[in-house]
Amino acid sequence: LQKGTMVRSKGRWLEDGAFRAAQIRVSEVEAPDEASVRGKVQAIDKARNTFTVMGVAVQLTPDAYVEVR
C-alpha cells in the first residue's frame, strides 16, 4: 500500500474504537477524486450543513441526493 492507493475494507469495529479489517481490496486504478463513507452518523452540525461519519465531516449541498432505505 502507498498513499493515494484506492482500497475498500470490510471488517468490524472493536470496543476501543479501532477497526479490524477482515478483507481489504486494493485497486490497481489510480484513486479518483470521488469517495464514499459508510457508518453511523456521529454528529450533526445544522449551522454548517454537515454531518460526521467515521470522523469525516460530510458537507450537504443543495443538490445532494438523499435516499432513505
Side-chain angles (χ1 to χ4, degrees):
L1 293 176
Q2 61 184 358
K3 185 176 178 179
T5 301
M6 180 66 89
V7 297
R8 183 176 187 170
S9 300
K10 289 185 179 183
R12 61 181 48 226
W13 289 103
L14 304 177
E15 289 183 19
D16 66 359
F19 181 78
R20 178 172 288 159
Q23 179 184 41
I24 300 172
R25 280 192 190 158
V26 178
S27 175
E28 298 291 331
V29 179
E30 187 175 321
D33 289 340
E34 293 185 15
S36 63
V37 177
R38 183 176 176 175
K40 292 181 181 179
V41 173
Q42 298 168 306
I44 298 172
D45 186 337
K46 290 183 179 182
R48 292 193 171 128
N49 213 24
T50 64
F51 62 94
T52 304
V53 177
M54 309 275 297
V56 176
V58 178
Q59 177 75 48
L60 284 171
T61 61
D63 59 337
Y65 174 75
V66 178
E67 178 181 345
V68 179
R69 291 185 178 192

